[in-house]
Amino acid sequence: MPSDVTARDRNIARARLQFLENEDPPPTIVPEGIRNSWRRSKYLGIGTDEVVVPYQPDYDRESRLVRAATPVLNRLEQALAGSDACVIVTDREGWVRDRRVGEERLSAHLDRVHLAPGFNYAEQFVGTNGIGVALEERRPHVVLGTEHFNERLQNVSCAAAPIRNSVTGRVEGAMNLTCWNGPSRTLMAALVQEAAGDIERVMYEFSSSHQRALLEAFQQVTHYGDRPVLCLGQDLVLANSAATARLTGDDHRLLHEAAAGTGHAPRTRKEVRLTGGATVLMRCRQVDSPAGAAGYLLELAFTDGPGDPARSRTGPRSSREERDATRPWPLPGLAGTDPAWNAVSRAVSRCARERTPLLLHGETGTGKSALVRAAHALTGAASAPVLLDAGAPRPAVTDAVSAPTPVNAGTPRPAADGEDLAAALRAAPAGPGRALVLRNVDAVAPGEAAAVARALDAAAARGTWIVGTLRGAAGVPEPLRRCFTEAAAVPALRHRLADLPALAGCLLRRVGAGVECAPEVLPLLRRHDWPGNVRQLGEVLTKAAAGRRTYRIELRDLPPSLHSSGSRSLSAWEASERDTLVQALLDADGNKLLAAQRLGISRTTIYRKMRAYGITLPARS
């Protein structure tokens, strides 16, 4: 440590060591913000003797944040020349985007601890540091010497302040000032806040210029017609009523991504599939301002694609109908209010009511068959739909995870051994009030597609509602494609996580009355990608409910895989190791020292393994 270490620094260092060695909270001599950060760092298993941070060498060096910060950093670089200080700008995720250093010795030290452009200094990777704490708590913060969680950072002090967008209030990044420990460190907070304010003012000038350019382009286009028009900037969305009635927030994101991928051509056309299954033809042009690219102007034309062929028969819907289409559309036994889920629920219900042949596509476990059963029941039908699988032509068993079995559901007649798919379809009950679902339509062999199509047409002619399901919209043999008048897409669970609490409640009501999730369970469920969708969620909750120790499902009742956020595939040995580690931590109520003792490993190994597998457990109360 430098020679100017104060009594306060020694007390903080001693308190930190005591905190790391036992489970007691830090003493009150440690500032509250530092105490909270230490707890978070210890919970995350951050190392204390080495700096291991992710690195991304490729990033946008012309982003609005970098361009706004450049003149401020240029000025500070001249003022700090030869001094033992440096200034750093990061984005909102903690990625370092620019650094200016006053002396070579400090520059070399920062390189050794990876505080350099391309590295990430968020708290989740480095532990307590000025950048990480300022971004975590969304307010200015100073971290002095021994207050750093990692020992390799303790010979410097740093102050950081969030950089906010003056229009939206959103944090865009952080301004950081780092210097060797010394008397001047007490002045850092004021200096860094002033610099952050300067960057915010430049960003506001950029934003104002961008917004004026977008507004002018929007007004010019909407003045001459009522076709759907959308203007998308980084902090601004402009839409006329024709676009507002048809688009959701997720659609805005999809269109923005599509526009960004069109390059810099002055005018380009591109077809985009929206979250509800509709297809839109987008004419896009980039809008420029004196401060650079402001955003995109999109002129939209909704096409009569397979997602909504009825539009060619009925003509465009009124604004009132468009507004109604965004409202919740509850179906018996199902849950969810996501716009895309509402759209497909309405489409399936209308097709069931009008007996319109429907092709329903979506990932496995999203609830395609459940939608058909619920919509069919809503028509007042006395019988359950007959389900056949193109890969195994025989009536399928109703899936209890996706939807409850109707009380009036009969048992379909099994197909005889050796019976082909067309024969099984012809033998299925048909007529008014009946529904016939052919799963995995894309699995129909080309040689039997014509015969299957004739069987489906014959059933439809007798008044049967025909539904086909498959994973993707492509791959349906042409003779079969002509059997279906409409098509709709069922969204994946990861695209409708706002519905997760309602879905969990719905699924648990099938398990038993009064079963519920503890408050800390739902945030953990939201972090999972759910590749198996609603079916997987139901299986997890059913198993957790069966093994729960109290009246509600708690974290320890969930499978170990849900406590890990790692993105890479694990080998069987790694998965077993992760599960063993998670179970030991749960059994020890999050006490890492106790878990390490029971496993016969060191606590440092526990921390390292938690980071390697992305294991996250809530802090102990």
Side-chain angles (χ1 to χ4, degrees):
M1 295 291 293
S3 59
D4 62 342
V5 171
T6 64
R8 178 186 181 279
D9 291 327
R10 288 193 293 270
N11 290 335
I12 295 293
R14 189 179 301 111
R16 172 183 166 278
L17 290 176
Q18 291 174 351
F19 171 68
L20 292 175
E21 291 172 357
N22 55 55
E23 298 298 324
D24 296 332
T28 55
I29 62 169
V30 181
E32 181 181 6
I34 301 298
R35 292 203 308 269
N36 294 337
S37 180
W38 281 2
R39 292 191 186 100
R40 293 190 297 264
S41 302
K42 187 175 181 180
Y43 163 70
L44 291 170
I46 304 298
T48 60
D49 56 358
E50 60 179 343
V51 177
V52 181
V53 294
Y55 177 57
Q56 288 183 351
D58 298 325
Y59 57 89
D60 185 6
R61 289 166 172 79
E62 295 297 325
S63 69
R64 188 177 61 164
L65 173 65
V66 173
R67 288 190 295 112
T70 296
V72 178
L73 294 178
N74 288 342
R75 187 185 73 242
L76 290 173
E77 184 177 28
Q78 294 179 359
L80 296 175
S83 69
D84 62 346
C86 81
V87 285
I88 295 167
V89 167
T90 76
D91 65 11
R92 69 169 66 93
E93 302 296 334
W95 293 98
V96 179
R97 295 311 184 208
D98 203 345
R99 185 188 81 178
R100 311 295 175 86
V101 190
E103 64 163 19
E104 287 299 324
R105 190 169 65 96
L106 180 59
S107 178
H109 173 71
L110 297 180
D111 287 344
R112 286 193 295 270
V113 296
H114 307 308
L115 185 48
F119 291 95
N120 192 307
Y121 249 67
E123 190 182 70
Q124 62 179 309
F125 300 115
V126 190
T128 306
N129 73 94
I131 294 169
V133 179
L135 290 174
E136 184 72 26
E137 300 192 355
R138 299 295 194 266
R139 62 185 178 89
H141 220 286
V142 178
V143 178
L144 304 176
T146 53
E147 293 176 348
H148 286 93
F149 192 78
N150 193 296
E151 294 173 1
R152 296 193 63 189
L153 304 178
Q154 292 187 354
N155 53 351
V156 296
S157 295
C158 55
I163 301 170
R164 297 182 182 275
N165 185 305
S166 302
V167 177
T168 64
R170 185 177 63 175
V171 172
E172 299 287 351
M175 180 70 194
N176 177 77
L177 178 65
T178 296
C179 65
W180 297 115
N181 291 332
S184 62
R185 64 188 190 180
T186 57
L187 303 176
M188 296 191 329
L191 293 174
V192 78
Q193 290 183 59
E194 181 181 357
D198 291 341
I199 297 175
E200 290 173 353
R201 282 188 288 273
V202 177
M203 291 182 66
Y204 177 75
E205 293 173 2
F206 286 173
S207 180
S208 299
S209 177
H210 291 341
Q211 290 179 4
R212 287 193 298 269
L214 288 171
L215 181 58
E216 181 179 351
F218 179 77
Q219 290 175 333
Q220 288 177 351
V221 174
T222 56
H223 180 72
Y224 296 104
D226 57 357
R227 61 186 179 279
V229 176
L230 193 67
C231 249
L232 297 173
Q234 185 170 357
D235 306 308
L236 181 68
V237 175
L238 298 173
N240 61 358
S241 57
T244 302
R246 300 289 298 271
L247 302 174
T248 66
D250 286 338
D251 293 332
H252 294 166
R253 176 183 53 79
L254 289 174
L255 290 168
H256 193 281
E257 291 175 355
T262 58
H264 299 288
R267 284 186 180 273
T268 56
R269 291 177 180 269
K270 188 172 185 179
E271 200 170 69
V272 180
R273 190 171 186 84
L274 303 177
T275 53
T279 302
V280 64
L281 182 63
M282 173 188 78
R283 187 169 71 169
C284 168
R285 72 176 175 90
Q286 182 172 292
V287 179
D288 294 318
S289 76
Y296 303 97
L297 176 69
L298 311 181
E299 298 176 65
L300 309 176
F302 286 84
T303 61
D304 295 328
D308 197 6
R311 200 173 301 282
S312 59
R313 303 193 309 269
T314 61
R317 292 188 290 179
S318 66
S319 297
R320 180 176 180 180
E321 289 174 321
E322 297 289 1
R323 287 193 299 270
D324 288 344
T326 63
R327 295 174 182 169
W329 185 260
L331 285 172
L334 304 181
T337 58
D338 176 83
W341 176 258
N342 284 337
V344 70
S345 297
R346 286 176 179 274
V348 175
S349 298
R350 175 173 52 77
C351 289
R353 185 174 61 252
E354 299 173 358
R355 320 303 289 171
T356 303
L358 172 66
L359 187 63
L360 203 57
H361 56 90
E363 296 178 9
T364 301
T366 50
K368 299 184 290 294
S369 298
L371 268 171
V372 174
R373 283 193 295 268
H376 183 60
L378 201 62
T379 65
S383 59
V386 175
L387 275 65
L388 290 97
D389 195 310
R394 57 185 181 277
V397 179
T398 300
D399 180 6
V401 172
S402 299
T405 304
V407 294
N408 58 351
T411 302
R413 184 182 66 82
D417 292 340
E419 188 176 31
D420 63 13
L421 180 57
L425 291 169
R426 289 193 297 269
R434 295 284 188 177
L436 179 59
V437 180
L438 178 58
R439 286 175 166 171
N440 299 313
V441 176
D442 52 339
V444 176
E448 62 178 349
V452 171
R454 288 193 296 269
L456 291 175
D457 288 339
R462 295 175 61 184
T464 305
W465 180 35
I466 303 299
V467 180
T469 69
L470 71 165
R471 281 181 54 87
V476 180
E478 189 58 34
L480 281 174
R481 193 181 297 275
R482 291 193 291 268
C483 294
F484 302 103
T485 308
E486 297 203 23
V490 182
L493 177 55
R494 62 182 176 277
H495 295 152
R496 49 183 291 232
L497 288 178
D499 287 342
L500 200 145
L503 281 169
C506 180
L507 294 166
L508 287 174
R509 282 193 292 274
R510 302 173 194 172
V511 174
V515 182
E516 61 183 50
C517 290
E520 61 270 19
V521 167
L522 286 175
L524 184 64
L525 296 179
R526 285 193 185 97
R527 293 205 301 267
H528 195 55
D529 285 339
W530 298 109
N533 294 292
V534 179
R535 180 180 301 166
Q536 181 188 9
L537 175 64
E539 292 169 350
V540 166
L541 291 177
T542 300
K543 185 175 181 180
R548 72 189 191 278
R549 307 179 191 183
T550 64
Y551 72 97
R552 63 185 186 181
I553 295 174
E554 298 177 347
L555 287 174
R556 69 182 63 199
D557 302 319
L558 297 175
S561 59
L562 288 186
H563 296 278
S564 173
S565 59
S567 57
R568 68 183 180 91
S569 298
L570 301 180
S571 66
W573 183 87
E574 288 175 322
S576 176
E577 182 183 52
R578 176 205 60 196
D579 294 353
T580 301
L581 181 58
V582 169
Q583 194 58 55
L585 288 165
L586 291 172
D587 292 342
D589 196 23
N591 187 320
K592 299 175 187 62
L593 179 60
L594 181 58
Q597 292 173 345
R598 291 176 176 176
L599 292 173
I601 59 178
S602 68
R603 189 169 61 176
T604 301
T605 302
I606 283 268
Y607 288 143
R608 179 167 54 82
K609 293 293 185 181
M610 288 181 67
R611 295 186 66 189
Y613 292 131
I615 296 172
T616 55
L617 295 173
R620 299 170 63 203
S621 57

